[in-house]
Amino acid sequence: MKNVTFITTGQPTTNPRLVKEAETLHKLGYNVKVICCFYQQWAQKTDEALTGKYPGLYIYCGGDPVIQKATYLKTRIRQKLSTLLFKYTRHFDIPENAISRTHTEALSIAKKIKTDLYIAHNLGALPTATQAAKHYNVKVGYDAEDLHSGQFASTHNEGYKLNKYIEEKYFPHVDYFTAASPLIAEFYQREYRYLKPVVINNVFPKTALQISPNYKAHEPLKLFWFSQTVGPERGLEDVIKAIAATNGHVRLHLLGSSNETYRSALLNLAKEFKISDDQLWFHEPIGAGEIFDFASQFDIGIATETGIPLNRDICLTNKIFTYIQCGLAMIVSDTQAQALFMEQYPDTGKLYQKSNLQSLTDCISFYLQNPDILYQTRLQNYQLGQTALNWETESRTFLSLVQKV
């Protein structure tokens, strides 16, 4: 039996790509372990359901702010000190502890697990996986869900310098490299010529859903947006303004964790543009397995990325594939990654110019005026998710990489 250990700097719920890969290998008979840690309070409940389903598979470290407060506080202090010291030294695992709150604890656990392959999900986990692999002289895989060095506005930013240092130090030791979008893969290939990135899209397993024409005459057109966090600089303000400009019966449903300050800001903006209370809905986060049934009640999924910073311009989020697999039409902003996707799949929805409010308004108005086209688009998208854009298809690429190394 082959042994595979995944390492992440977050929780299972906040990293669905990792969960899909871990469950796939587990079901195929691999001995799988996942080393993870506390990241978001809202994810605790859904984590419990996941870990209960696979006892012993997920191993937490580094404490949390509720039960293991002392350990959690210690790791946070260490990370902050390491971040400050990174300006002056690269020794004593200072960069590694700066980029990951739980590097030391995760490495200690990883070295106790005799494994054939360590797979790091996100940049903070890569030093841990690489050092553990060196201890046993085994292989390392890395999944680039984001362009981490592209998450900063300036190359003078200390966060950029830290991320770039980790990339340059540890990428040469990776035995396989996957990326979550074609443009992330292309960027890394250009920056590090020795890498051979393989694209694995953010798709999900097939789900049996009944697609019905939700939007009919005298009923609201329901827009849907989701993310782990509902916050600023995600284009949501423009959606509210565009809804107001259509003068149509449109509702916007937002799923994710949001604080009272930002929620109030959106509600005040809606009030300013004379949008009624029943047109803006907030929903608390749910588990990844629940999102398909939840999302299928809506008509259109919106992906409103602003393209700033660079990572947002070239990433292809799981929104796109979730909407398709749920049988929603799409309205997406013209970031580089999303524009490229819409070139490949032009019938999945509408592309709008992210700096042009009228362009977004026109997209919403089109579906308001053409419910038959909306329904046909939804049916086509669901079928696309059942045939091509799903984890059953995409997982073959992942499995071939694992088997190869």
Side-chain angles (χ1 to χ4, degrees):
M1 180 185 292
K2 292 294 186 181
N3 303 288
V4 178
T5 299
F6 292 83
I7 304 174
T8 180
T9 56
Q11 293 164 251
T13 296
T14 63
N15 198 331
R17 284 174 69 85
L18 178 152
V19 172
K20 286 181 294 187
E21 293 183 4
E23 289 187 358
T24 296
L25 294 182
H26 175 75
K27 290 174 182 177
L28 288 174
Y30 286 74
N31 184 19
V32 177
K33 297 293 181 183
V34 177
I35 302 172
C36 54
C37 65
F38 174 86
Y39 178 58
Q40 295 279 357
Q41 189 68 53
W42 65 263
Q44 293 285 78
K45 185 177 180 180
T46 47
D47 267 7
E48 289 173 7
L50 189 61
T51 55
K53 185 178 178 182
Y54 298 101
L57 193 150
Y58 293 95
I59 304 170
Y60 286 78
C61 65
D64 64 76
V66 178
I67 299 174
Q68 296 177 306
K69 295 180 181 179
T71 302
Y72 179 68
L73 181 61
K74 181 190 74 174
T75 58
R76 289 196 66 189
I77 292 172
R78 183 182 60 216
Q79 185 178 29
K80 288 184 177 181
L81 287 174
S82 297
T83 301
L84 292 172
L85 291 171
F86 175 72
K87 300 176 184 179
Y88 309 105
T89 181
R90 306 292 191 263
H91 300 297
F92 314 112
D93 268 4
I94 293 297
E96 290 76 7
N97 281 297
I99 201 166
S100 170
R101 177 179 67 84
T102 57
H103 168 71
T104 299
E105 289 76 14
L107 181 59
S108 176
I109 294 171
K111 285 183 175 180
K112 295 174 184 175
I113 303 173
K114 183 67 172 72
T115 196
D116 302 291
L117 172 66
Y118 291 95
I119 302 177
H121 271 258
N122 67 49
L123 193 60
L126 182 58
T128 310
T130 304
Q131 291 181 16
K134 183 178 180 181
H135 179 74
Y136 284 117
N137 192 28
V138 295
K139 305 291 187 179
V140 179
Y142 176 67
D143 181 60
E145 185 167 352
D146 290 290
L147 175 65
H148 288 280
S149 58
Q151 294 176 316
F152 305 93
S154 169
T155 56
H156 300 292
N157 186 291
E158 289 299 322
Y160 168 82
K161 294 176 182 177
L162 174 61
N163 280 262
K164 195 68 176 176
Y165 172 82
I166 295 295
E167 287 180 357
E168 292 176 347
K169 180 176 180 179
Y170 288 99
F171 278 177
H173 303 285
V174 169
D175 295 286
Y176 83 72
F177 191 108
T178 56
S181 83
L183 294 183
I184 290 177
E186 181 181 305
F187 182 91
Y188 275 129
Q189 176 72 84
R190 190 167 60 246
E191 286 287 299
Y192 305 99
R193 296 290 184 181
Y194 53 84
L195 290 178
K196 303 297 179 188
V198 176
V199 177
I200 295 183
N201 287 311
N202 276 309
V203 292
F204 294 89
K206 298 176 185 178
T207 304
L209 297 170
Q210 186 67 41
I211 309 303
S212 58
N214 295 332
Y215 172 54
K216 306 170 186 175
H218 311 300
E219 292 188 10
L221 179 70
K222 296 184 285 293
L223 309 184
F224 177 57
W225 182 97
F226 77 97
S227 186
Q228 292 183 14
T229 303
V230 180
E233 299 179 0
R234 304 298 300 273
L236 298 177
E237 293 81 0
D238 284 346
V239 179
I240 290 174
K241 295 174 185 177
I243 289 173
T246 65
N247 290 317
H249 195 189
V250 183
R251 287 179 180 171
L252 173 60
H253 291 259
L254 305 175
L255 172 67
S257 177
S258 61
N259 61 44
E260 280 300 321
T261 301
Y262 185 67
R263 188 177 296 204
S264 296
L266 282 188
L267 289 169
N268 289 335
L269 180 66
K271 185 177 180 180
E272 178 186 342
F273 280 84
K274 296 181 171 53
I275 289 179
S276 63
D277 292 343
D278 73 335
Q279 287 183 269
L280 182 57
W281 295 66
F282 293 89
H283 303 274
E284 293 301 314
I286 58 178
E290 303 173 73
I291 196 167
F292 297 95
D293 284 332
F294 182 82
S296 64
Q297 66 185 296
F298 306 113
D299 303 299
I300 301 170
I302 51 176
T304 53
E305 300 299 341
T306 61
I308 299 172
L310 175 62
N311 179 59
R312 286 290 175 191
D313 198 29
I314 65 175
C315 72
L316 202 54
T317 67
N318 58 10
K319 290 183 185 65
I320 296 287
F321 301 103
T322 301
Y323 297 151
I324 288 174
Q325 289 182 255
C326 289
L328 304 187
M330 296 196 302
I331 295 177
V332 304
S333 59
D334 63 343
T335 63
Q336 288 189 63
Q338 293 183 163
L340 178 61
F341 180 86
M342 293 301 286
E343 284 181 22
Q344 295 173 303
Y345 302 98
D347 296 331
T348 56
K350 294 289 183 181
L351 186 73
Y352 74 92
Q353 298 170 2
K354 56 184 177 292
S355 57
N356 188 331
L357 186 61
Q358 186 59 52
S359 177
L360 175 55
T361 303
D362 290 344
C363 290
I364 298 173
S365 296
F366 174 84
Y367 286 120
L368 272 169
Q369 297 161 12
N370 296 278
D372 291 340
I373 295 177
L374 171 61
Y375 182 48
Q376 289 303 313
T377 301
R378 294 184 62 214
L379 290 174
Q380 291 169 13
N381 283 358
Y382 178 70
Q383 188 61 28
L384 180 62
Q386 292 294 298
T387 55
L389 298 179
N390 55 66
W391 180 243
E392 284 81 357
T393 300
E394 204 77 359
S395 64
R396 297 171 192 162
T397 302
F398 166 67
L399 288 171
S400 69
L401 289 171
V402 171
Q403 291 163 358
K404 183 177 179 180
V405 300

